């Protein structure tokens, strides 16, 4: 569709809900953006102006104000054209310029680490930080960003397969949950389905095909139920719009995976929705439906009396249909329906009447109430200096959002918490001072332990004391919410700096010893400097304090120190300890059938050592054995590093020679140790990553240690270091994973 046609569609959409005929600001934005982007094209070959216009159409479909739509048209001008913040501010307004700037990604930033993957993660984290900071100041920033991401996902087919998966993964784990957090199901549902299409294309298209085959049969069944319900509601004198609502593909796929079912085993593939004029009628419809069909026990949820944190309100009930098939019924008012579809966008100030009116003041108070989560994110911005910590907390908070429990304060206020939360989470959700002074808790009038899991409807009373010594470190094992974890860590960080330094040093020594290393050997100036640079600390004491209060994992620090230590050891091995006779070094290098080149010898018997399991991409060295040819070790292998001076003379240069045609067929075994929280489903999450990456598992040992951590020793077959790095990175993204170690014995 040409840009002029999209622009006319935009104008028609705005005019369908906006009372003003003055759309000159939108027109000026269109002309400016078209001129600014005139020599730019998208991957699809379309003129670039198509993208900002489509973003503006999505915003207009959410019925946003003209400032948001104007900013949507201009959202790429500061980043991709010669226009500056000052230009947009002068030509339009400072309000619009701030919206555009809030959406604009960070440009040229200097990052300390030289690792490209680390750089990418830091840039991503900084972008999220900036986005949430702008969100907290003006929620419209994230609405524009979500519209931007939605159109990019709609046109993702023009990107490379690698880029498709990267964007789809980010969308599924950050942007779709954000849309859900803000209650915008209209965008959330489409983002989920589009992400699934690129992350699991086979499963997606298989699901689409199977559902299409059953569509006619299902439509007839739904229409039959709708007709029956309408008839009964008319008889009861309740005015209602009744419609069918098919579940979206991602929702069905998620249910199939989580419950290990096929599509044929999932019967509630649709829901019936009744929309009425009043809350009273909602409960009236519920009574009629339960009279018509048998309700399924435990499947009734009243989100009207206890709304979800994202403002969602509705009655949900599951019943058995006329042919014995279960289906869900959702009952809500028109206002609730609008909120369910548009979330926070439905309450934007433009719609609330004239300035100073009671209606507007009331709405603004309501909107402020709904922005509590954003204020919490803003607190994280200030408290978390480490980007990884910020990203982990953000992912955790988004991931656990789908499962909530609702509890009451003694005064009857409703507090929503992540599923599995304890009284400690409840205390910190009220205020950090309540959590820090907490000495006990009562649930439904009875004293409970701190690890008690709060259930829906519990009445929770927190007992505090001014003589409290503050939170215990053990609390971190019991809390579920990232908010509580952050506040507890901050308390330890401020209260016990000296103790934290001592404790941190002890934890580092213990972790190094567990890996068979000596901490003093690792504490070289190069290693310490690398850690300070990576995590942004001023001195070594600050690092130890961070480890001591739990803000930084000791495994991360030891891993970083060990990387620098390895580099030094490799230099020593290659420059000092590998002795090759002068006359041998002049001989031609011959290739072994094993894919290893051994310097100065012919087709010698080569075997891979079991102590370190080298794979292509590892720095390697050969060790001349007595009667068994040459054994190949990694240069960082403990056995090589600790060779006697006499045995070091038997080391010989070796390097990988893997022909391109062999890389697809040849695999090598290696062993990794995964350390994480002792929780249900951890092994399933790890197995899912290995299955998705098509990694054969040859052996697996699982156990728990005295620190209540899960330890998994997994022997896998891989093609080389590059594949190992991909797997390691994905496993590290699993919630609760503390460290991954390449095993050497």
């Amino acid at each position: 569709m040409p840009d002029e046609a999209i622009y006319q569609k935009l104008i028609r959409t705005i005019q369908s809900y906006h009372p003003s005929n003055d759309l000159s600001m939108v027109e000026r934005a269109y002309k400016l953006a078209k001129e600014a982007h005139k020599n730019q094209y998208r991957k699809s070959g379309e003129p670039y102006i198509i993208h900002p216009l489509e973003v503006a159409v999505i915003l207009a479909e959410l019925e946003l104000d003209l400032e948001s739509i104007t900013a949507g048209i201009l959202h790429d001008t500061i980043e991709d054209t010669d226009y500056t913040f000052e230009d947009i501010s002068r030509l339009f307004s400072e309000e619009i310029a701030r919206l555009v700037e809030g959406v604009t990604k960070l440009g040229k930033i200097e990052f300390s680490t030289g690792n490209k993957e680390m750089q990418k993660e830091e840039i991503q984290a900084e972008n999220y930080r900036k986005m949430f900071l702008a969100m907290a100041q003006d929620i419209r920033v994230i609405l524009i960003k979500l519209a931007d991401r939605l159109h990019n996902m709609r046109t993702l087919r023009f990107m490379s397969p690698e880029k498709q998966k990267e964007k789809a993964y980010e969308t599924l784990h950050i942007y779709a949950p954000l849309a859900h957090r803000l209650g915008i199901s209209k965008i959330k549902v489409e983002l989920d389905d589009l992400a699934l299409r690129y992350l699991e294309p086979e499963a997606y298209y298989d699901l689409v095909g199977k559902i299409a085959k059953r569509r006619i049969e299902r439509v007839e069944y739904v229409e039959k139920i709708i007709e029956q319900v309408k008839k009964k509601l008319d008889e009861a004198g309740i005015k209602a719009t009744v419609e069918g609502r098919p579940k979206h593909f991602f929702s069905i796929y998620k249910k199939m995976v989580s419950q290990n079912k096929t599509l044929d085993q999932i019967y509630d593939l649709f829901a019936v929705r009744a929309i009425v004029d009043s809350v009273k009628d909602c409960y009236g419809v519920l009574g009629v439906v339960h009279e018509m069909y048998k309700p399924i026990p435990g499947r009734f949820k009243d989100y009207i009396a206890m709304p979800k944190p994202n403002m969602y309100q509705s009655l949900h009930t599951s019943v058995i249909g006329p042919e014995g098939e279960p289906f869900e019924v959702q009952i809500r008012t028109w206002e609730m329906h609008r909120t369910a579809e548009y979330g926070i966008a439905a309450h934007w100030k433009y719609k609330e009447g004239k300035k100073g009116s009671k209606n507007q003041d009331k709405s603004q108070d309501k909107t402020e109430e709904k922005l509590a989560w954003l204020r919490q994110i803003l607190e994280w911005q200030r408290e978390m200096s480490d980007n990884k910590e910020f990203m982990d907390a953000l992912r955790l908070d988004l991931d656990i959002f789908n499962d909530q429990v609702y509890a009451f304060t003694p005064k009857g206020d409703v507090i929503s918490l992540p599923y599995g939360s304890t009284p400690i989470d409840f205390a910190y959700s009220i205020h950090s001072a309540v959590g820090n002074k907490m000495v006990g808790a009562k649930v439904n009038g009875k004293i409970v332990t701190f690890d008690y899991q709060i259930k829906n409807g519990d009445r929770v009373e927190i007992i505090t004391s001014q003589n409290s010594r503050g939170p215990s470190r053990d609390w971190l094992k019991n809390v579920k919410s990232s908010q509580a974890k952050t506040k507890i860590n901050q308390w330890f960080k401020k209260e016990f700096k000296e103790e934290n330094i001592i404790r941190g040093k002890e934890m580092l020594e213990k972790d190094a010893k567990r890996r068979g290393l000596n901490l003093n050997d690792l504490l070289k100036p190069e290693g310490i400097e690398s850690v300070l640079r990576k995590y942004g600390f001023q001195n070594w004491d600050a690092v130890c304090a961070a480890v001591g209060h739990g803000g930084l994992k000791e495994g991360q620090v030891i891993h970083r120190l060990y990387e620098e230590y390895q580099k030094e050891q490799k230099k020593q091995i290659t420059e000092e300890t590998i002795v090759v006779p002068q006359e041998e070094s002049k001989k031609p290098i011959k290739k072994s059938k094993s894919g290893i080149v051994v310097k100065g010898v012919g087709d010698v018997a080569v075997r891979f050592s079991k102590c370190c399991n080298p794979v292509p991409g590892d720095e390697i060295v050969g060790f001349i054995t007595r009667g068994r040819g040459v054994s190949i070790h990694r240069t960082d292998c403990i056995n090589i590093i600790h060779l006697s001076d006499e045995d070091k003379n038997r080391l010989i240069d070796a390097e990988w020679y893997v022909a391109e045609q062999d890389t697809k067929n040849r695999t090598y075994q290696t062993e990794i140790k995964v350390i994480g929280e002792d929780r249900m489903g951890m092994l399933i999450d790890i197995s899912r990553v290995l299955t998705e990456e098509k990694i054969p598992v040859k052996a697996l040992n699982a156990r728990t240690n005295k620190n209540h951590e899960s330890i998994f020793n997994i022997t896998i077959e891989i093609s080389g270091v590059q594949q190992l790095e991909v797997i390691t990175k994905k496993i590290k993204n699993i919630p609760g994973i503390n460290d991954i170690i390449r095993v050497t014995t």
Side-chain angles (χ1 to χ4, degrees):
M1 191 186 291
D3 60 280
E4 186 59 39
I6 299 172
Y7 175 68
Q8 291 304 324
K9 177 186 175 184
L10 171 64
I11 295 300
R12 287 194 301 273
T13 307
I14 296 171
Q15 288 174 336
S16 69
Y17 69 89
H18 201 284
S20 173
N21 291 320
D22 183 11
L23 303 181
S24 57
M25 180 167 63
V26 176
E27 185 178 359
R28 283 191 292 118
Y30 167 51
K31 288 178 179 177
L32 184 147
K34 185 171 184 177
E35 177 63 25
H37 294 296
K38 68 179 177 182
N39 294 321
Q40 297 173 356
Y41 295 88
R42 304 198 86 210
K43 293 279 186 184
S44 61
E46 291 179 327
Y48 196 89
I49 185 62
I50 297 290
H51 170 64
L53 281 177
E54 290 286 11
V55 168
V57 169
I58 293 169
L59 295 171
E61 288 170 349
L62 292 176
E63 300 187 5
L64 289 184
D65 57 315
L66 295 184
E67 286 77 13
S68 299
I69 293 168
T70 302
I73 297 173
L74 300 171
H75 80 271
D76 276 331
T77 51
I78 293 179
E79 183 179 2
D80 294 334
T81 75
D82 294 332
Y83 283 92
T84 63
F85 174 88
E86 289 72 22
D87 293 333
I88 303 300
S89 185
R90 175 172 48 80
L91 294 169
F92 293 91
S93 69
E94 187 174 334
E95 178 187 7
I96 290 172
R98 290 199 183 285
L99 288 174
V100 175
E101 186 185 44
V103 181
T104 301
K105 294 188 289 292
L106 293 185
K108 299 172 183 175
I109 302 172
E110 291 185 13
F111 290 91
S112 54
T113 175
N115 182 306
K116 286 186 179 178
E117 281 301 317
M118 292 292 187
Q119 279 188 354
K120 194 173 180 182
E121 285 184 10
E122 286 194 19
I123 291 170
Q124 186 188 48
E126 286 294 339
N127 282 328
Y128 289 140
R129 282 177 180 272
K130 182 180 181 186
M131 183 172 72
F132 283 114
L133 186 60
M135 274 171 65
Q137 293 166 350
D138 195 326
I139 189 62
R140 291 174 294 178
V141 168
I142 194 57
L143 300 180
I144 298 168
K145 188 66 183 173
L146 286 171
D148 173 53
R149 176 51 61 108
L150 178 56
H151 184 251
N152 281 332
M153 289 299 293
R154 287 174 179 174
T155 56
L156 199 58
R157 64 186 180 277
F158 299 108
M159 306 294 283
S160 67
E162 294 79 16
K163 206 71 176 172
Q164 287 174 352
K165 283 194 176 294
E166 182 185 316
K167 292 293 180 187
Y169 183 86
E170 185 183 43
T171 297
L172 189 63
H173 290 86
I174 297 291
Y175 288 100
L178 262 178
H180 186 47
R181 258 291 189 180
L182 299 173
I184 314 171
S185 67
K186 186 179 176 67
I187 287 181
K188 192 260 183 191
V189 165
E190 191 174 350
L191 287 178
D192 275 338
D193 283 352
L194 287 168
L196 179 64
R197 177 178 166 185
Y198 292 102
L199 288 174
E200 299 288 348
E202 290 182 15
Y204 175 81
Y205 286 109
D206 180 58
L207 195 59
V208 170
K210 287 178 179 177
I211 289 175
K213 286 180 183 176
R214 297 176 57 182
R215 184 176 179 277
I216 296 173
E217 173 191 337
R218 196 166 65 255
V219 166
E220 288 175 356
Y221 183 62
V222 174
E223 286 178 350
K224 180 181 175 182
I225 290 172
I226 289 172
E227 191 178 331
Q228 291 175 351
V229 173
K230 275 185 175 177
K231 185 179 177 184
K232 286 287 185 183
L233 292 178
D234 287 342
E235 290 174 4
I238 299 174
K239 182 184 173 185
T241 297
V242 186
E243 58 191 18
R245 185 194 69 87
K247 284 195 174 182
H248 61 293
F249 297 122
F250 180 75
S251 174
I252 298 169
Y253 171 77
K254 193 175 176 184
K255 197 167 190 177
M256 288 169 65
V257 171
S258 64
Q259 298 181 9
N260 196 24
K261 290 183 177 180
T262 64
L263 185 66
D264 295 331
Q265 294 172 308
I266 297 177
Y267 298 105
D268 55 336
L269 295 176
F270 63 91
V272 171
R273 180 181 291 150
I275 309 175
V276 295
D277 293 329
S278 69
V279 173
K280 179 185 174 184
D281 285 345
C282 287
Y283 292 98
V285 173
L286 179 69
V288 171
V289 170
H290 280 185
E291 187 182 345
M292 292 177 67
Y293 308 111
K294 189 173 183 180
I296 299 173
R299 294 296 302 245
F300 169 65
K301 293 173 183 173
D302 189 341
Y303 294 120
I304 294 179
M306 289 189 291
K308 290 186 178 183
N310 64 355
M311 305 172 288
Y312 180 87
Q313 286 184 288
S314 193
L315 295 178
H316 287 199
T317 185
S318 292
V319 296
I320 302 295
E323 295 173 19
E325 285 196 19
F327 66 94
E328 186 182 61
V329 181
Q330 298 176 353
I331 310 162
R332 59 180 69 148
T333 65
W334 285 103
E335 180 62 27
M336 292 173 192
H337 180 61
R338 178 175 167 73
T339 300
E341 291 292 300
Y342 301 113
I344 207 159
H347 295 269
W348 192 244
K349 62 183 179 183
Y350 155 71
K351 301 203 151 291
E352 307 300 337
K354 296 178 182 178
K355 273 192 176 181
S357 71
K358 287 183 181 178
N359 195 29
Q360 188 188 31
D361 293 340
K362 193 175 177 182
S363 173
Q364 284 177 337
D365 291 341
K366 196 176 179 184
T367 305
E368 272 298 305
E369 211 175 285
K370 291 157 188 166
L371 293 180
W373 179 68
L374 294 183
R375 286 195 292 274
Q376 178 185 317
I377 294 286
L378 192 59
E379 282 180 29
W380 292 351
Q381 302 269 32
R382 300 189 189 102
E383 293 173 350
M384 295 184 187
S385 58
D386 179 25
N387 282 330
K388 186 180 185 303
E389 186 185 3
F390 172 74
M391 287 301 295
D392 288 346
L394 175 61
R395 287 194 190 102
L396 175 66
D397 202 66
L398 290 172
D399 287 344
I400 62 180
F401 178 67
N402 287 327
D403 299 315
Q404 298 277 315
V405 292
Y406 300 89
F408 296 94
T409 67
K411 292 182 179 179
D413 296 327
V414 179
I415 302 289
S416 63
L417 297 162
Y419 180 80
S421 287
T422 65
I424 304 170
D425 292 287
F426 188 94
Y428 279 102
S429 71
I430 296 170
H431 197 278
S432 56
V434 176
N436 291 338
K437 295 294 181 183
M438 176 181 176
V439 292
K442 287 183 180 180
V443 173
N444 303 324
K446 295 180 180 178
I447 296 285
V448 296
T449 57
F450 281 6
D451 60 355
Y452 170 85
Q453 290 195 0
I454 293 172
K455 300 177 182 64
N456 272 320
D458 278 348
R459 183 173 172 273
V460 184
E461 180 184 349
I462 303 300
I463 304 167
T464 61
S465 169
Q466 291 303 315
N467 298 322
S468 166
R469 294 183 179 180
S472 160
R473 293 186 190 277
D474 290 336
W475 290 12
L476 291 168
K477 297 173 186 174
N478 295 327
V479 295
K480 185 71 175 177
S481 66
S482 50
Q483 179 187 15
K485 284 183 180 177
T486 301
K487 288 180 177 179
I488 293 168
N489 278 326
Q490 288 302 312
W491 189 86
F492 280 111
K493 188 175 180 179
K494 292 171 185 173
E495 294 291 320
F496 296 109
K497 188 173 180 182
E498 290 302 321
E499 289 89 335
N500 285 334
I501 292 172
I502 295 167
R503 179 180 170 82
K505 287 178 179 177
E506 290 173 353
M507 291 168 72
L508 290 169
E509 285 176 3
K510 188 176 179 181
D511 191 76
K513 190 175 180 181
R514 182 168 59 88
R515 299 167 188 248
L517 303 168
N518 187 319
L519 182 61
N520 290 330
D521 291 342
L522 303 181
L523 291 177
K524 306 296 181 189
E526 300 82 6
I528 292 174
E529 180 59 33
S530 175
V531 172
L532 298 181
R533 198 167 55 242
K534 166 70 177 90
Y535 298 110
F537 290 101
Q538 296 296 317
N539 53 57
W540 183 245
D541 278 352
V543 174
C544 294
V547 172
H549 70 69
L552 184 63
K553 293 289 183 185
E554 62 269 29
Q556 293 174 276
V557 178
I558 295 297
H559 181 72
R560 194 78 180 177
L561 290 171
Y562 188 48
E563 279 184 347
E564 292 299 321
Y565 176 74
Q566 283 177 309
K567 290 176 187 176
E568 293 302 312
Q569 290 300 313
K570 285 173 188 175
K571 286 179 188 176
Q572 290 178 23
I573 289 174
T574 54
E575 293 173 9
E576 299 170 17
T577 64
I578 299 179
V579 179
V580 180
Q582 196 65 30
E583 61 274 13
E584 282 190 6
S585 65
K586 296 176 183 176
K587 292 180 183 179
I589 292 172
K590 297 189 178 181
K591 304 175 186 89
S592 157
K593 292 174 184 175
S594 62
I596 298 288
V597 174
V598 180
K599 195 168 184 178
V601 297
D603 191 5
V604 68
V606 168
R607 67 184 184 85
F608 298 106
S609 66
K610 297 293 183 185
C611 56
C612 59
N613 290 317
V615 298
D618 284 329
E619 292 282 344
I620 55 173
V621 64
F623 181 76
I624 302 168
T625 65
R626 294 181 174 89
R628 291 185 296 167
V630 175
S631 67
I632 303 300
H633 294 256
R634 302 200 323 246
T635 53
D636 63 336
C637 176
I638 298 294
N639 292 331
I640 292 297
I641 291 171
H642 294 108
L643 280 177
S644 65
D645 290 339
E646 182 183 349
D647 284 338
K648 284 178 180 176
N649 293 324
R650 291 161 60 193
L651 293 171
I652 186 167
D653 276 346
E655 60 185 56
W656 292 101
Y657 175 79
V658 184
E660 195 172 329
Q661 62 269 26
D662 292 338
T663 55
K664 296 176 184 175
N665 305 320
R666 190 165 198 141
T667 57
Y668 301 79
Q669 283 194 11
T670 192
E671 185 180 351
I672 57 173
K673 181 192 286 186
V674 182
I675 305 167
E677 293 175 3
D678 183 13
R679 67 166 173 82
M680 290 283 287
M682 180 69 82
L683 182 57
I684 294 171
D685 291 343
I686 296 169
S687 300
R688 188 177 292 123
V689 170
L690 296 173
T691 303
E692 287 172 356
E693 293 299 317
K694 298 180 173 61
I695 304 298
V697 177
K698 310 312 284 184
L700 189 148
N701 176 273
R703 63 191 186 282
T704 56
N705 63 17
K706 61 183 180 182
N707 295 324
H708 304 291
E709 292 177 313
S710 295
I711 311 291
F712 303 96
N713 280 69
I714 311 170
T715 303
I716 55 178
E717 281 191 354
I718 54 173
S719 59
V721 166
Q722 192 172 2
Q723 190 176 27
L724 181 62
E725 286 173 351
V726 171
I727 300 160
T728 301
K729 184 179 176 185
K730 290 197 172 183
I731 293 176
K732 279 184 177 176
N733 284 333
I734 296 172
I737 294 296
N738 297 333
D739 202 2
I740 299 176
I741 302 166
R742 183 99 172 268
V743 174
T744 21
T745 57

